[in-house]
Amino acid sequence: MFIPSILLRQLYTHGSLTQTEDGLQFMLKNRLKDAVLKQVDSISINGEEISPEAITLQVGPEQIMSMADINENGEVPFELKQVITVYLNKSLPVSPEKHTLELVFRASPFGKLKFSVEDNVSAPSLKQGHIPRDPHDDYSPEIIQKRQRFFEDFSGANIHHVGQYSIDPKTLRGNIEHFIGVAQVPIGMAGPVTIDGEHAKGDFMIPMATTEGTLVASYNRGMKLLNMSGGIKSTVVDDAMQRAPVFVFSDARGARDFVAWVNANIDKIREEAEATSSIAKLTYIDSFLSTKFAFLRFNYRTGDAAGQNMVGRATFAACGWILDHYEGIENFYLESNFATDKKASQINIMRTRGKRVIAEATIKREHLLSVMRVDPKQIDYHGRVAGVGSFLSGVNNTGLHSPNGITAMFIATGQDVANVSESSAGIMYSELTDEGDLYISLTIPSLIVATYGGGTGIGTQRECLELLGCYGRDKVYKFAEIVGAVALAGEISLASAISSSDWVSSHEQYGRNR
């Protein structure tokens, strides 16, 4: 299996070359995919091969093996994100001077791998003032307790609620570093809400995690109203996740010619990207030229995962192949800030990031009058007035507060909450029907959600997804349709409250924690 050199060098943890009592040590971390270490052929420093008898490797929390043991056994698990510490019986002085390390080894499914890196020798870190950690088992009860004591000693406060949890810390590898406990956020239920989706069909109870009074009650009221008129139609109309590298050339023509070459070699670039994952599928690459820079916006489908890390790894591999096969590139950055990760942007509104979801409903006039005490004409007129306010303020959302419900659902179901920055974009639209009823729709152009991977499998988060019937594979479109429907329920509830002047009185009744 071909692995670009730029990707292969990521196995080495830069800054880990450290002086020890017996010589030197450095760390390798698997940033590729699950593998099995078959054989260590050689390790060299500055061109000098280290004797096999002087090499030992720590491959687990309490498992240290000699190079000979590994080569004889030939079946050492090296899982994704696992760390191996290499110990060398060789001395080098602590110095800012760079040394060249070269490693040759064999691992399944990659075959023979060879790479070299440069690093300088550092002194052993002093433990005082540093957060306690164990690179081989950072989630054991012992290391967690050490960190809790460290935090208490440092702050002078006590850990009580934070340190009480029901989840197994060992399941959190890849979710949190320096773990000491949990933050508990109250969860309320809203619903049921009736949804007519292509994937979400029927009635759903909605878990919402928040500390904002009136939020759950407001969404519940919106759901009640929409149910009376037949529920909400919710549809996923697009799906894309991006990573956007930039390539720098000597002039604009070089950048232009490079983009033409990329377009001509898209099939091979797709092959290299998709080799890193059985899930990520590269659908297309947008190109944007400015000065002597070529910005490439790689667009993927990522299955049931949100996919930012997945597409980062895939794009890195593709760019590694590009760098190895195209001359004239003067500089390269994997991310140019053009994917707008964790930031709201106009390009995401236009081109989609995550799932593009449209939720819509037609509400009977009599239902608005009886439940919300507001006429459809009042809401429609208020929406047009608010549209002027949206234009003047330059917001990315012409609705009222869709991020409120999205955030509450994100916290409850283990989504990456920072993705609310992109998911906050919304296009609210309404019109009066010939019968005097109100048609409303909410388009969420960049809803980033997952039902598998990330934080979705942790304790309460998994339970909340299971309550929705949305945990696991082949459930992400269903979940996206539900989130869109819930957001629409919140929009009509708050729009009705503002239009009928119930907004302040409701907060006075439900939302003040005196």
Side-chain angles (χ1 to χ4, degrees), residues 156-173:
N158 293 320
I159 290 178
H160 176 58
H161 293 290
V162 168
Q164 299 186 49
Y165 46 85
S166 58
I167 56 178
D168 180 1
K170 291 188 180 297
T171 65
L172 299 178
R173 189 164 68 98

Side-chain angles (χ1 to χ4, degrees), residues 146-386:
K146 284 183 180 179
R147 279 196 291 268
Q148 290 173 343
R149 289 194 296 270
F150 173 86
F151 183 73
E152 290 178 330
D153 293 342
F154 184 88
S155 65
N158 293 320
I159 290 178
H160 176 58
H161 293 290
V162 168
Q164 299 186 49
Y165 46 85
S166 58
I167 56 178
D168 180 1
K170 291 188 180 297
T171 65
L172 299 178
R173 189 164 68 98
N175 292 117
I176 186 74
E177 299 78 41
H178 303 162
F179 175 78
I180 62 167
V182 300
Q184 301 179 69
V185 182
I187 296 178
M189 297 294 290
V193 57
T194 301
I195 302 175
D196 176 19
E198 294 177 308
H199 305 271
K201 286 184 175 293
D203 295 338
F204 298 88
M205 295 297 300
I206 309 300
M208 309 185 81
T210 182
T211 57
E212 180 185 348
T214 76
L215 188 144
V216 176
S218 175
Y219 277 79
N220 197 67
R221 187 173 78 146
M223 293 172 189
K224 174 184 176 182
L225 170 68
L226 292 169
N227 288 349
M228 293 173 67
S229 295
I232 305 164
K233 181 181 288 186
S234 192
T235 311
V236 176
V237 298
D238 198 11
D239 183 359
M241 179 51 65
Q242 296 81 23
R243 186 60 60 202
V246 59
F247 296 81
V248 181
F249 295 86
S250 60
D251 55 31
R253 292 178 187 175
R256 179 199 62 189
D257 294 344
F258 169 72
V259 168
W261 180 87
V262 167
N263 292 335
N265 288 273
I266 183 64
D267 290 340
K268 181 59 179 175
I269 293 171
R270 178 178 289 113
E271 178 185 333
E272 294 298 326
E274 295 181 358
T276 65
S277 170
S278 60
I279 298 171
K281 301 300 177 186
L282 178 60
T283 53
Y284 62 97
I285 300 175
D286 280 330
S287 59
F288 302 86
L289 295 171
S290 181
T291 72
K292 55 183 181 178
F293 308 142
F295 295 86
L296 301 182
R297 201 165 189 258
F298 285 64
N299 292 267
Y300 297 84
R301 292 184 183 270
T302 58
D304 294 283
Q308 290 99 320
N309 293 334
M310 183 191 303
V311 304
R313 186 166 59 250
T315 305
F316 194 64
C319 290
W321 182 86
I322 291 171
L323 291 168
D324 284 347
H325 290 83
Y326 192 87
E327 296 183 359
I329 299 170
E330 294 191 344
N331 211 337
F332 155 79
Y333 299 97
L334 179 63
E335 180 50 62
S336 63
N337 218 19
F338 201 36
T340 70
D341 197 12
K342 309 295 171 64
K343 295 174 286 292
S345 67
Q346 188 64 31
I347 193 170
N348 287 344
I349 293 175
M350 298 296 293
R351 299 290 282 160
T352 301
R353 181 168 168 85
K355 310 297 183 280
R356 193 178 194 91
V357 185
I358 300 174
E360 52 193 339
T362 299
I363 309 171
K364 295 290 185 181
R365 180 175 183 271
E366 59 264 30
H367 297 157
L368 273 169
L369 289 169
S370 64
V371 177
M372 300 296 192
R373 298 187 299 279
V374 65
D375 191 278
K377 292 181 179 179
Q378 292 174 263
I379 293 180
D380 183 62
Y381 180 70
H382 173 253
R384 284 184 279 126
V385 172

